[in-house]
Amino acid sequence: MVYGILCAMDEEFGILENEIAEKEVTEIYSRRFISGKINGQRVVAAVSRIGKVAAAFTTAVLIEKFKVDALVFCGIAGGLGDNVKIGDIVIGTGCVQHDFYLSDSDFFRIPLLNISNIPCDKALSEKCLNAAAEFCKGEKTKEITEFFASVNVKEPKVHTGIIASGDQFISSDQKRLWLKENIENVMCCEMEGAAVAQAAFEAGVPCAIIRVISDSADGDAEVSFDKFVSAASLYSSAIIKNLFK
Ligand code: SAH
């Protein structure tokens, strides 16, 4: 069993790399694929780069070349759900491409697949939920405690629901409300989840998407994102380590 682990940005991957033992690095198409073990579990980890094309492309390499049996993406996102706060964690039940638009009466639907909500794997998502919940409840490192204080995160919670993905940084009330109105049970927005989920779905590889809320996808999103991003890998490394305990 080999897990593919993905983040979109170097900042999300960061200290997670230190957790990988017996490391072997292969460079393909400007991406570093790091094979090794986390807590004894075989993994291949990579930074996909930002956006749906980059993410789908990296996922395809993980599946086709590295033969991963399951995929877990961990990154940051803008919060959309009513009770979803900065610092909280969202586990996707499914992902929607919010910028997929065929006509005014037909959007989000992926032709041929004929679905608009690309499902995530239930059992794997449940494991991620437990790993995230353990992070929220468990003892925190000094770095995490200090980071929480600096961004005013008190008791982060874990939510499950739909993840909206598109090639757009969402930072306006108009767009955030549009997403909330048009996507039932939407919890957060980001730029890669649906691409990873769709590539995995089409290949028949179980996939889970974990997102930590860095901003509220509103007028303050850029400032909030900038404050949060450098510490994003504190979350990913802790959650992924828990996943393979
Ligand atoms: N500022 C960076 C780009 C960041 S894009 C640069 O100029 O290089 C935002 C990244 O964080 C994406 O990988 C996306 O998945 C995630 N993200 C966080 N908040 C988001 C939001 N409000 N809207 C869309 N994506 C968001």
Side-chain angles (χ1 to χ4, degrees):
M1 173 87 182
V2 182
Y3 275 83
I5 308 292
L6 280 169
C7 297
M9 290 181 285
D10 288 333
E11 291 93 333
E12 293 165 334
F13 192 54
I15 58 167
L16 176 57
E17 181 164 349
N18 305 338
E19 304 298 335
I20 308 177
E22 301 171 34
K23 249 186 283 191
E24 206 176 292
V25 180
T26 316
E27 195 166 323
I28 305 172
Y29 307 132
S30 311
R31 286 146 173 86
R32 287 171 75 231
F33 291 86
I34 305 175
S35 309
K37 286 183 180 168
I38 299 179
N39 280 341
Q41 171 62 56
R42 281 179 65 205
V43 299
V44 183
V47 173
S48 69
R49 302 179 155 216
I50 295 166
K52 289 190 297 170
V53 173
F57 181 59
T58 313
T59 304
V61 175
L62 277 175
I63 293 171
E64 194 59 30
K65 175 146 177 76
F66 293 94
K67 309 289 180 207
V68 297
D69 303 292
L71 278 154
V72 176
F73 185 103
C74 192
I76 56 180
L80 294 175
D82 286 339
N83 299 312
V84 175
K85 298 197 175 73
I86 290 172
D88 283 1
I89 301 168
V90 171
I91 311 294
T93 51
C95 299
V96 171
Q97 292 192 42
H98 69 72
D99 53 359
F100 213 105
Y101 205 95
L102 293 170
S103 77
D104 282 351
S105 60
D106 186 10
F107 39 97
F108 309 148
R109 181 178 65 88
I110 312 296
L112 304 181
L113 286 183
N114 242 341
I115 50 173
S116 49
N117 176 11
I118 302 145
C120 297
D121 185 77
K122 261 197 179 164
L124 184 54
S125 300
E126 185 77 28
K127 276 191 182 180
C128 293
L129 180 77
N130 292 338
E134 198 183 325
F135 168 78
C136 291
K137 284 193 218 110
E139 240 175 77
K140 314 280 184 305
T141 62
K142 184 170 157 276
E143 286 82 4
I144 290 172
T145 308
E146 280 173 9
F147 174 62
F148 277 10
S150 75
V151 287
N152 207 18
V153 171
K154 295 206 169 73
E155 285 174 15
K157 293 194 174 53
V158 190
H159 310 264
T160 57
I162 301 298
I163 294 175
S165 310
D167 289 321
Q168 201 179 349
F169 185 80
I170 307 296
S171 56
S172 73
D173 284 334
Q174 192 197 2
K175 191 72 203 202
R176 95 187 287 282
L177 290 175
W178 187 90
L179 292 170
K180 281 166 74 81
E181 267 163 32
N182 288 283
I183 304 175
E184 205 186 329
N185 198 29
V186 70
M187 290 291 147
C188 65
C189 57
E190 38 82 301
M191 301 173 68
E192 299 83 16
V196 175
Q198 184 176 336
F201 180 74
E202 293 199 34
V205 175
C207 166
I209 312 289
I210 305 168
R211 286 288 177 174
V212 179
I213 305 305
S214 57
D215 59 87
S216 299
D218 55 10
D220 296 328
E222 272 163 46
V223 175
S224 180
F225 173 92
D226 283 347
K227 265 202 209 166
F228 206 95
V229 65
S230 61
S233 77
L234 291 173
Y235 272 88
S236 27
S237 67
I239 297 170
I240 298 295
K241 256 195 312 186
N242 285 348
L243 186 62
F244 300 132
K245 249 185 196 165

